[in-house]
């Protein structure tokens, strides 16, 4: 029964965006390098990379609250980056103690241009997932600081 629900969810997702999904994974979006980030779905379609937040309270905050979790009544809009506008993916420079103190996912910067304006999008994903490997093999890669 659960597999049917998952398949229906992704079929509805494809219908909603009007495109075939190439790859998908859980990921994070960070507003700044020091933010906790928000969890969501990273979805690669034929023409775009999208981040769909999955709103809810994080598990640590919920330990200290007795009330129901705070989930917005209105869905949060997706972050959508057309593939043709992506200039590069920037990977963080590795430091000696990263294996102890870094987040479980690889945090990377997606650099893209909309019109004459350059943008950066800070995302996190499992470096072993298919979506991340697709990004690395299809986009110029730069080493960060």
């Amino acid at each position: 029964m659960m597999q049917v629900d998952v398949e229906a969810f992704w079929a509805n997702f494809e219908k909603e965006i009007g495109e075939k999904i190439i790859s998908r994974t859980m990921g994070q979006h960070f507003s700044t390098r020091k933010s906790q980030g928000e969890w969501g779905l990273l979805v690669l379609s034929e023409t775009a990379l999208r981040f769909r937040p999955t709103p809810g309270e994080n598990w640590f905050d919920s330990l200290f609250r007795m009330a129901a979790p705070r989930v917005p009544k209105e869905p949060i809009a997706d972050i959508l980056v057309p593939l043709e506008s992506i200039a590069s993916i920037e990977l963080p420079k590795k430091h000696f103690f990263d294996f102890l103190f870094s987040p479980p996912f690889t945090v990377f910067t997606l650099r893209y241009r909309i019109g004459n304006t350059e943008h950066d999008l800070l995302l996190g994903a499992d470096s072993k997932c298919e979506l991340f490997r697709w990004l690395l093999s299809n986009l110029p890669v730069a080493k960060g600081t």
Side-chain angles (χ1 to χ4, degrees):
M1 177 67 173
M2 189 139 164
Q3 183 64 25
V4 172
D5 293 341
V6 170
E7 289 172 9
F9 173 84
W10 289 112
N12 286 335
F13 198 105
E14 282 184 342
K15 190 176 184 184
E16 175 189 333
I17 65 172
E19 292 187 285
K20 178 119 178 82
I21 293 172
I22 296 170
S23 187
R24 61 187 189 249
T25 191
M26 284 298 295
Q28 285 182 281
H29 169 251
F30 300 90
S31 54
T32 68
R33 286 232 175 250
K34 297 195 185 286
S35 75
Q36 279 188 312
E38 62 181 326
W39 287 95
L41 299 171
L42 274 173
V43 179
L44 178 66
S45 68
E46 297 166 328
T47 64
L49 177 68
R50 102 180 35 239
F51 176 81
R52 176 163 293 177
T54 52
E57 199 167 47
N58 75 40
W59 68 272
F60 188 75
D61 288 342
S62 68
L63 289 175
F64 299 102
R65 288 178 38 91
M66 295 299 194
R70 287 174 258 153
V71 177
K73 290 182 178 24
E74 294 294 320
I76 299 171
D78 292 355
I79 297 171
L80 180 72
V81 180
L83 294 179
E84 65 186 18
S85 69
I86 299 174
S88 67
I89 180 173
E90 185 177 296
L91 300 176
K93 184 178 177 184
K94 294 289 183 187
H95 297 93
F96 184 70
F97 286 108
D98 281 353
F99 69 97
L100 289 175
F101 302 112
S102 62
F105 284 176
T106 299
V107 177
F108 60 94
T109 303
L110 202 63
R111 300 199 187 284
Y112 64 100
R113 178 181 284 284
I114 303 290
N116 292 327
T117 308
E118 290 185 11
H119 301 274
D120 290 344
L121 184 61
L122 197 56
L123 298 170
D126 181 355
S127 62
K128 296 175 184 82
C129 75
E130 181 183 329
L131 186 142
F132 191 74
R133 288 192 312 263
W134 187 96
L135 293 174
L136 291 179
S137 64
N138 289 283
L139 298 174
V141 178
K143 291 291 181 193
T145 56

